[in-house]
Amino acid sequence: MATLDAKIPSGSIAEKWTNHKNSINLVSPANKRQIDVIVVGTGLAGGSAAATLAELGYNVKAFCFQDSPRRAHSIAAQGGINAAKNYQGDGDSTYRLFYDTVKGGDYRSREANVYRLAEVSTNIIDQCVAQGVPFARDYGGLLDNRSFGGVLVSRTFYAKGQTGQQLLLGAYSAMNRQIGRGKIKMYNRHEMLDLVKVDGKARGIITRNLVSGKIERHSAHAVVIASGGYGNLFYL
Ligand SMILES: Cc1cc2nc3c(=O)[nH]c(=O)nc-3n(C[C@H](O)[C@H](O)[C@H](O)COP(=O)(O)OP(=O)(O)OC[C@H]3O[C@@H](n4cnc5c(N)ncnc54)[C@H](O)[C@@H]3O)c2cc1C
């Protein structure tokens, strides 16, 4: 039976991604503008990836099938976003967020990736606040938390019942800034049909223009697939 190689780095679970990030080849700032990256999807994953890559200097082509990136399914998320900031002093830690997430994922998640997510969770909140996401605050003006999903700590940052919508507006604004700078070329109403691989590496995609029906090809040095998951099964 064929098994999927997720290419997770080796080492102890808490150090895999940190070590990998410390030893990976870097691209010099002067060379980034010569590299094209395709990002398929403009939800919270794709929208923020596209904005960040463009901010770093790469040339990004972003694709979504909706009429606007702002309509990605991420808009449906409500409860909030978890981060191990331990603002409540209730014993939270990176390890506890990792543990709860693996358990909440029915022990089916890739554990090293969950650990990395728990590690960077605190930075994600800081980035979203800097982008202007209006997370709920307590009467003293500090960021508020609630307990979500049956966990024993309060680590969920939220914006009423509209967290996904507010987060998406933050990512979308950062992305739009880069569209305005010419660093992201946005392809709305384009559906990816196929991935183009050259020597085993993803180098492009085939799309259908949903307005004209035209089949198009797009090339790049790398392709990021951020097309969402089973969430699209929910009817909005
Ligand atoms: C009702 C609901 C409530 C939720 N509540 C929470 C919560 O409280 N907290 C939490 O952490 N998570 C929550 N989630 C989960 C979370 O919202 C999602 O996991 C997350 O938003 C997915 O983001 P994404 O960027 O991966 O995908 P999406 O937002 O689904 O974006 C997918 C993107 O890919 C594009 N795309 C897909 N296929 C193609 C194609 N063939 N060609 C071109 N483009 C394509 C789409 O146009 C879109 O832009 C909730 C989910 C739902 C449904």
Side-chain angles (χ1 to χ4, degrees):
M1 194 177 76
T3 51
L4 185 68
D5 177 10
K7 303 208 169 130
I8 292 171
S10 55
S12 75
I13 203 156
E15 289 170 355
K16 284 175 194 276
W17 281 110
T18 305
N19 287 346
H20 179 69
K21 290 254 307 175
N22 286 339
S23 55
I24 198 171
N25 288 340
L26 295 177
V27 179
S28 115
N31 288 337
K32 288 189 172 116
R33 60 174 176 261
Q34 295 171 31
I35 296 180
D36 302 333
V37 184
I38 284 175
V39 179
V40 182
T42 55
L44 285 176
S48 46
T52 305
L53 287 165
E55 185 82 42
L56 286 169
Y58 296 102
N59 308 311
V60 178
K61 298 178 197 173
F63 294 80
C64 72
F65 57 66
Q66 288 93 348
D67 56 351
S68 157
R70 213 156 50 96
R71 294 196 197 279
H73 198 258
S74 293
I75 207 165
Q78 297 176 326
I81 174 169
N82 284 335
K85 277 196 176 279
N86 195 24
Y87 278 172
Q88 307 302 323
D90 53 4
D92 201 8
S93 64
T94 298
Y95 179 80
R96 284 187 189 274
L97 174 53
F98 157 73
Y99 183 91
D100 285 348
T101 309
V102 170
K103 192 174 168 192
D106 241 353
Y107 303 96
R108 293 177 183 191
S109 319
R110 291 182 182 142
E111 294 185 0
N113 296 357
V114 174
Y115 195 91
R116 184 69 186 162
L117 177 74
E119 239 175 1
V120 298
S121 63
T122 56
N123 298 352
I124 292 172
I125 300 301
D126 294 344
Q127 181 173 344
C128 294
V129 171
Q131 281 176 345
V133 174
F135 284 120
R137 291 178 181 267
D138 62 20
Y139 285 109
L142 301 174
L143 290 173
D144 198 15
N145 298 119
R146 59 184 173 197
S147 179
F148 186 56
V151 300
L152 297 176
V153 295
S154 289
R155 64 160 78 96
T156 305
F157 294 75
Y158 63 100
K160 275 193 159 181
Q162 317 171 342
T163 312
Q165 183 177 3
Q166 298 300 339
L167 287 172
L168 196 58
L169 285 172
Y172 174 74
S173 313
M175 214 181 127
N176 249 8
R177 181 169 165 264
Q178 299 301 331
I179 294 173
R181 286 181 66 220
K183 290 304 289 180
I184 297 181
K185 183 153 173 41
M186 187 65 228
Y187 294 86
N188 300 338
R189 311 275 357 238
H190 275 68
E191 182 186 24
M192 171 184 161
L193 300 176
D194 213 345
L195 181 69
V196 178
K197 288 207 270 182
V198 179
D199 295 333
K201 293 193 172 157
R203 300 292 196 197
I205 59 171
I206 305 296
T207 61
R208 188 203 323 263
N209 181 324
L210 293 176
V211 178
S212 66
K214 195 174 162 211
I215 306 291
E216 301 166 352
R217 60 189 169 174
H218 300 270
S219 67
H221 296 92
V223 179
V224 176
I225 307 248
S227 56
Y230 259 9
N232 289 319
L233 289 173
F234 290 80
Y235 181 72
L236 284 178

